[in-house]
Amino acid sequence: MVDEQERLLPIANVGRIMKQILPPNAKVSKEAKQTLQECATEFISFVTGEASDRCRKENRKTVNGDDICWALGALGFDNYADAIVRYLHKYREVERDKATQNKATCISSQDKDEESSEDRSNQPPHQQAEAPSTRV
């Protein structure tokens, strides 16, 4: 039973997703959570297996988002595939924007560091290396 539980999605996560869809006062039985937990795990395994087979045929070791989208379509889940493709494009766009912002922030920080280094180098030598004096 432990091996079976390890391969399943965490039941708390499944329950949380289920509760988000239902009205606030609705209750979800343990049996319903377990049933959906098994179904969702099986669905993910099914789609991932199809994507993995494609990667193996193409001599690739890494399954990516495009492979999952392809597998959904190949398995007849075209509506899901279309939605996931749109999500994947938006996700990649956001990640690209984050990377661009991070790069700009790093460059800006480097410029400031270089400016402060230049400011220190313009000081007379005796002021550059001078440490604050402390009296005892």
Side-chain angles (χ1 to χ4, degrees), residues 4 7-9 35-49 75:
E4 176 72 11
R7 81 169 193 85
L8 296 174
L9 294 169
T35 301
L36 199 54
Q37 176 190 36
E38 291 174 21
C39 291
T41 301
E42 187 61 33
F43 179 75
I44 291 169
S45 297
F46 182 52
V47 173
T48 303
L75 294 168

Side-chain angles (χ1 to χ4, degrees), residues 44 47-48 51-52 54 63-73 81 84:
I44 291 169
V47 173
T48 303
S52 180
R54 177 187 188 196
V63 175
N64 61 39
D66 294 317
D67 298 319
I68 297 298
C69 293
W70 174 87
L72 285 166
I84 296 292

Side-chain angles (χ1 to χ4, degrees), residues 102-116:
N102 287 341
K103 190 174 181 180
T105 302
C106 289
I107 290 172
S108 176
S109 295
Q110 287 175 349
D111 289 347
K112 287 178 183 175
D113 289 345
E114 289 172 5
E115 286 174 11
S116 64

Side-chain angles (χ1 to χ4, degrees), residues 91-125:
Y91 172 80
R92 288 176 175 163
E93 191 175 300
V94 168
E95 289 299 307
R96 205 173 16 253
D97 290 347
K98 280 184 192 176
T100 302
Q101 282 180 337
N102 287 341
K103 190 174 181 180
T105 302
C106 289
I107 290 172
S108 176
S109 295
Q110 287 175 349
D111 289 347
K112 287 178 183 175
D113 289 345
E114 289 172 5
E115 286 174 11
S116 64
S117 294
E118 288 173 8
D119 290 345
R120 283 191 299 262
S121 66
N122 290 336
Q123 293 178 354

Side-chain angles (χ1 to χ4, degrees), residues 17-37:
I17 292 167
M18 292 172 77
K19 292 284 277 182
Q20 288 174 356
I21 303 302
L22 298 171
N25 59 345
K27 304 230 184 279
V28 180
S29 72
K30 184 176 180 180
E31 180 186 27
K33 290 178 193 174
Q34 289 173 332
T35 301
L36 199 54
Q37 176 190 36

